[in-house]
Amino acid sequence: MQLVTAARGTSGEGGALERVLIVSANMGEGHNATGRALEGAVRERWPAAEVKWLDALDQLGPGFGGLFRRIYVANVETTPWLYEFFYDAIWRLAWFAAASKRFTASWCGRRLAKPVADFAPDLVLSTYPMGTAGLAWLRRRGKLRAPIGAWVSDFAPHPFWVYGSADLTMVMHDVAVGLARRCAPSAVVGVSAPPVRAEFRPGDRAGARHRLGLPPEAFVALVSCGSLGFGDVEGTVRELLAAGPEVLPVAICGRNEALQHRLERLGEPRLRVVGWTDRMADYTIASDVVVTNAGGATGLEALACGRPVLMHRPIAAHGKANARLMAEAGLALVTEKDGELTGSVRTLLAEPERLKAMAEAATRHCDSATSLTAALESLVDSPLNPAPQRLRPEDALFLHVATPQVPQQVGAVLMLDPKADGSRPTHADAVHLLSATPGLRARLLPGGGLWRAKWQEDPARSADGILGDVELPAGSELESSLTAQMDDFFSEPVTPDHPVRARLVTGLEGEQGALLIALHHAASDGIAVIGALVGQARGKPPLDPPPAPLRRSRLRGAADRVSAVTRKRPGRRKEAEELARGVWALARAGTAPRVPWETGISGPRRHYARAHLSAPQVRAAARKVGVPTTDFVLALVAEAVHQELGAAAPERVRVLIPMSIRDTGTFRQLGNHTGAASVDLPTGAMSLAERVRATRELLAEQVTRGAPRAGNAVVRVIGILPPWLHRRVARLVYRGTWFSMIASVLPGARSPVVLNGSLVRTVYPVLSLAPDVPVAVGVMTWADRFTVCVTVPAGHAARGDRLAGTVTSAFARLQSEAD
């Protein structure tokens, strides 16, 4: 098949499009009406463009278009229960929706491939779900590089309408955005002004009535149920006639000649019966209300003219969904039972202010929505919507375990000294630094059911867009002001859709600044954050994205390759044996010993307590007692826990200790490349020197058994499970049942780091809590300091302060004892 490439117009700079393809379907007039509105906007913006139409149904093969139309009409008029069943199934049964969409997309995409390639469009616009499905299929297979815009001409989108492979999906109201993203989380969704022809706009009601020969003083109720005249139109007309002598129904029958004859036989002098007409704009402007039962093109034309909509006995499936959503938006009244329409019209006659309010709401919505021309320009100027990539199991874990009470976000606090000229760090300095932040342009797509979690790049995101500024009164006290800012900033969770936030705080004493960075734990681990910051200072390129995980169909081949290498290289066999020992140790560990502190976490608000130690002194003290600095610092944490719990302290507290398993191939990659050791730190009564030795022994035992790699392997293995089961298992393994606190010692910069002239004096690592785990301690080496940051729920602030303070006092005491 030929590859279609887009000549990316730059509409804002006067660029031109040569060829525009509109994919619609002759299924009633709604889809074609939307296409005509889009064609009008194209010709207004790019007058010289060649516009071609394709009917998606006619492309499916001889006779299929007519067959589909007959099935649709039969479903709506004869078997609405079957139509409702299908519509409900694609919402309730994810597997059914996925299978149906995949089949439809493949079928339609193959049929569209040749005519699309032959025309070689610069822009493709779809107004019909099956057309959008086929275009999305072509995009996923690299057969279509032109921008794809899809307009949902119904008020309520459904799964068949929305595809992430389209570059822009336009819905009709803000209340529909969430539904559209539920259908396809990777879709770019906007709110469009009603896609109707230019003549549908607020106009002179009296003039329109004069042109149509309608009495100026009547209450005109325009009845339009689409070009096919679906539903009980006769019953609707009778209810309107019963509402009062001033009510004048105007029934548009479209192509339904049988309906026209039935209404004419009623012989009602107040009833105006109209067949097919090209004056719908005049009739809509002339009306006081528009009565319909589907909410498609007729409803959109009414809103564009600022006319209230009455949805009476909505047709099955999409008609009922449109009615619910229009009522939720305050743009329609919905009536179902006999007499309800009569009652609603009488209410509007008696309360003209209510009628006026509905009309004003429709006008406000149309004025605030994106115009068709603006949407088309954005579609042409913006990059193509990137394809989502599957999230690695190590990263997806943190999406699955995140809850509103225990969000999963990590971060850092950078203390910036004033520059050589005495000026404070600026917004521009922070933007320069943040340009290397991991996950800056990522969107996280949580998945669920049959869908695996994914991430998607958003090229439009910038460092400036995630950065907020807080300027404190000059000379604000450092410790208290910084604590307040950290508690406020990190207590607002990042979201999967916006996984990175930052805040620059200035005005601290000594002209210091603080840059606070928070990112979703699924975006990356702490090592990547620090690596990005140091790399930015050293002029290194941004971090690489993580490699896409192997598809399940490739797992067996990958296992065969690993097995072959293991047979040839004894070192690999040793690693495999170490991994097996680690998994066995994890299996035997059992649940964590009980710790007498509150484990309930009531909400996302947190408190962050800080401390720092002299790095040269810590290293010297660790050398004196003959232990690595990591073990030494963790012994200080164990001492702090012992003193906090006092006489109630158990002999052991199980601590989850994340450990990096990065190597030269993954050091510059995004994502989480960590294992974890669950260590029962000694917290019972003993001397501080004994606690240091015991910590060393316990930690060495876990590392020797291969616990870090085993923990990482377990996380990767459960990622093979079906998504719904992966989510459940992740929540079972990452919780307080298995560990009582989190502690991590992160490597940082050993030498001073200067960014845009500001010395990064200190960096505090910020860790997240886990469900039923109310304490997390992050420790980092940064230049001449070991920094400590303790995370606790906001209600346990005093505990966090005591723990941080005890780490400092325990170190001083240990130094004194050693001397």
Side-chain angles (χ1 to χ4, degrees):
M1 297 181 187
Q2 178 181 344
L3 176 67
V4 182
T5 57
R8 302 291 278 158
T10 52
S11 59
E13 300 175 359
L17 294 180
E18 295 182 6
R19 294 174 298 279
V20 178
L21 179 65
I22 296 176
V23 180
S24 184
N26 186 21
M27 182 72 77
E29 278 300 307
H31 303 288
N32 289 336
T34 299
R36 285 192 291 271
L38 292 173
E39 180 177 3
V42 168
R43 296 196 182 284
E44 177 185 346
R45 179 61 187 84
W46 298 284
E50 178 186 357
V51 179
K52 180 178 180 178
W53 285 61
L54 279 179
D55 189 303
L57 292 179
D58 288 344
Q59 298 300 316
L60 296 181
F64 276 107
L67 176 63
F68 267 80
R69 295 179 191 104
R70 289 193 296 273
I71 291 174
Y72 174 67
V73 173
N75 275 335
V76 172
E77 292 192 324
T78 309
T79 58
W81 59 270
L82 183 59
Y83 188 26
E84 194 78 51
F85 175 80
F86 175 78
Y87 192 88
D88 184 56
I90 62 174
W91 276 113
R92 288 190 303 104
L93 305 174
W95 65 267
F96 178 70
S100 301
K101 291 177 71 172
R102 189 175 296 115
F103 171 78
T104 302
S106 174
W107 182 15
C108 198
R110 295 175 192 278
R111 294 289 184 168
L112 287 174
K114 188 178 187 306
V116 170
D118 290 345
F119 186 60
D122 302 316
L123 176 66
V124 185
L125 306 175
S126 175
T127 71
Y128 187 63
M130 292 180 69
T132 308
L135 296 171
W137 185 88
L138 292 174
R139 166 63 57 77
R140 289 194 298 271
R141 280 152 183 79
K143 307 296 182 183
L144 176 59
R145 293 289 298 171
I148 302 171
W151 262 256
V152 180
S153 52
D154 275 343
F155 211 79
H158 56 72
F160 261 75
W161 263 119
V162 188
Y163 296 82
S165 298
D167 300 297
L168 181 63
T169 299
M170 299 300 284
V171 296
M172 298 300 108
H173 196 276
D174 289 330
V175 298
V177 172
L179 279 177
R181 287 181 175 160
R182 178 182 162 193
C183 298
S186 60
V188 177
V189 182
V191 178
S192 171
V196 297
R197 297 195 309 274
E199 58 263 33
F200 287 96
R201 61 184 184 275
D204 177 13
R205 179 183 282 115
R209 291 188 178 187
H210 176 73
R211 291 191 296 273
L212 296 171
L214 299 175
E217 72 285 351
F219 183 91
V220 175
L222 179 67
V223 181
S224 177
C225 296
S227 64
L228 301 177
F230 282 142
D232 182 16
V233 180
E234 296 100 315
T236 300
V237 167
R238 290 191 178 93
E239 290 213 25
L240 291 171
L241 291 169
E246 63 269 57
V247 177
L248 188 149
V250 177
I252 308 295
C253 300
R255 292 190 170 90
N256 194 332
E257 295 180 358
L259 171 64
Q260 182 178 352
H261 295 327
R262 290 198 303 272
L263 293 177
E264 288 172 344
R265 285 197 296 269
L266 292 178
E268 291 286 348
R270 278 191 288 134
L271 172 62
R272 303 294 177 90
V273 180
V274 181
W276 178 259
T277 178
D278 57 1
R279 304 183 67 182
M280 277 301 298
D282 275 344
Y283 279 109
T284 307
I285 294 170
S287 68
D288 291 284
V289 295
V290 174
V291 184
T292 186
N293 60 6
T298 299
L300 298 178
E301 290 166 355
L303 295 179
C305 294
R307 295 298 181 259
V309 176
L310 303 182
M311 292 283 286
H312 183 56
R313 289 181 178 151
I315 62 175
H318 74 282
K320 293 182 178 180
N322 288 339
R324 285 193 299 268
L325 218 57
M326 292 183 75
E328 181 182 337
L331 300 176
L333 295 178
V334 181
T335 55
E336 292 275 4
K337 300 177 181 177
D338 291 343
E340 283 188 346
L341 177 60
T342 299
S344 293
V345 172
R346 287 173 177 170
T347 298
L348 295 177
L349 288 170
E351 302 175 13
E353 289 302 316
R354 185 175 181 183
L355 185 67
K356 180 181 177 183
M358 291 180 65
E360 291 174 346
T363 301
R364 281 196 307 271
H365 163 63
C366 296
D367 290 343
S368 63
T370 305
S371 70
L372 299 186
T373 302
L376 292 174
E377 289 179 345
S378 172
L379 182 60
V380 170
D381 290 343
S382 300
L384 301 179
N385 192 26
Q389 304 292 326
R390 184 182 297 178
L391 211 60
R392 299 162 58 248
E394 300 95 313
D395 306 328
L397 170 78
F398 295 104
L399 273 178
H400 293 327
V401 302
T403 67
Q405 290 72 34
V406 192
Q408 294 299 307
Q409 66 179 7
V410 295
V413 178
L414 283 66
M415 302 304 302
L416 306 173
D417 279 0
K419 300 181 182 181
D421 60 3
S423 62
R424 65 178 59 172
T426 65
H427 182 91
D429 296 331
V431 168
H432 172 75
L433 171 60
L434 291 170
S435 62
T437 301
L440 175 64
R441 292 181 173 83
R443 291 176 61 215
L444 299 172
L445 311 175
L450 297 177
W451 306 109
R452 293 196 181 274
K454 297 182 179 180
W455 68 274
Q456 182 184 32
E457 184 182 359
D458 184 352
R461 288 190 177 165
S462 66
D464 189 65
I466 68 168
L467 178 64
D469 295 271
V470 172
E471 184 173 0
L472 301 175
S476 294
E477 198 276 327
L478 177 62
E479 292 301 320
S480 61
S481 298
L482 180 59
T483 298
Q485 288 295 320
M486 288 179 63
D487 290 359
D488 174 69
F489 176 77
F490 289 107
S491 291
E492 179 184 345
V494 296
T495 64
D497 200 46
H498 296 280
V500 184
R501 288 190 304 113
R503 176 185 293 180
L504 177 64
V505 180
T506 55
L508 298 169
E509 59 182 304
E511 293 299 320
Q512 292 187 82
L515 181 61
L516 286 60
I517 306 171
L519 70 156
H520 202 292
H521 209 333
S524 200
D525 56 29
I527 302 292
V529 178
I530 302 308
L533 299 178
V534 176
Q536 181 80 331
R538 305 286 190 264
K540 295 181 180 179
L543 297 183
D544 300 324
L550 295 176
R551 294 183 181 273
R552 193 173 305 181
S553 59
R554 295 163 59 192
L555 286 176
R556 183 177 298 277
D560 292 341
R561 289 193 297 272
V562 172
S563 177
V565 172
T566 301
R567 289 194 299 270
K568 293 177 182 178
R569 294 178 55 184
R572 291 297 179 93
R573 279 198 294 271
K574 184 178 179 181
E575 290 181 10
E577 292 169 1
E578 177 184 316
L579 179 60
R581 287 196 303 270
V583 171
W584 177 245
L586 287 176
R588 293 180 56 197
T591 58
R594 290 182 58 84
V595 178
W597 56 28
E598 304 86 351
T599 58
I601 302 175
S602 59
R605 297 203 63 80
R606 301 286 183 263
H607 173 69
Y608 300 90
R610 304 177 315 285
H612 64 264
L613 310 172
S614 166
Q617 292 178 3
V618 169
R619 295 187 183 105
R623 283 195 299 270
K624 278 187 178 181
V625 295
V627 300
T629 53
T630 295
D631 301 20
F632 183 85
V633 172
L634 289 173
L636 297 179
V637 173
E639 176 68 16
V641 173
H642 168 72
Q643 294 194 29
E644 172 64 22
L645 297 177
E651 290 297 315
R652 298 284 188 268
V653 169
R654 185 164 301 168
V655 181
L656 183 72
I657 304 177
M659 295 182 177
S660 175
I661 58 171
R662 290 177 181 269
D663 54 28
T664 55
T666 58
F667 186 74
R668 297 289 296 167
Q669 285 183 356
L670 299 180
N672 292 268
H673 297 269
T674 54
S678 290
V679 180
D680 289 339
L681 287 185
T683 53
M686 63 182 69
S687 69
L688 191 48
E690 291 175 324
R691 199 178 312 281
V692 173
R693 288 192 294 271
T695 300
R696 167 58 177 158
E697 293 170 359
L698 291 165
L699 190 58
E701 180 184 12
Q702 289 293 314
V703 174
T704 302
R705 290 179 175 178
R709 290 194 178 276
N712 180 268
V714 169
V715 170
R716 286 188 284 116
V717 167
I718 66 175
I720 299 175
L721 299 173
W724 62 271
L725 186 55
H726 182 198
R727 180 184 183 90
R728 293 185 180 182
V729 174
R731 292 191 169 191
L732 284 175
V733 301
Y734 196 76
R735 58 187 302 175
T737 304
W738 313 106
F739 52 94
S740 299
M741 62 180 292
I742 300 171
S744 183
V745 181
L746 296 86
R750 296 291 293 266
S751 58
V753 174
V754 177
L755 291 164
N756 268 22
S758 291
L759 175 66
V760 183
R761 171 68 61 185
T762 309
V763 174
Y764 292 103
V766 175
L767 303 187
S768 61
L769 302 178
D772 296 326
V773 178
V775 177
V777 182
V779 182
M780 175 180 291
T781 55
W782 189 265
D784 61 346
R785 295 180 174 182
F786 267 78
T787 60
V788 180
C789 184
V790 181
T791 306
V792 293
H796 301 167
R799 170 176 293 158
D801 293 338
R802 289 193 299 268
L803 288 171
T806 305
V807 170
T808 304
S809 63
F811 176 60
R813 181 156 53 89
L814 188 60
Q815 276 189 304
S816 177
E817 292 176 1
D819 292 339

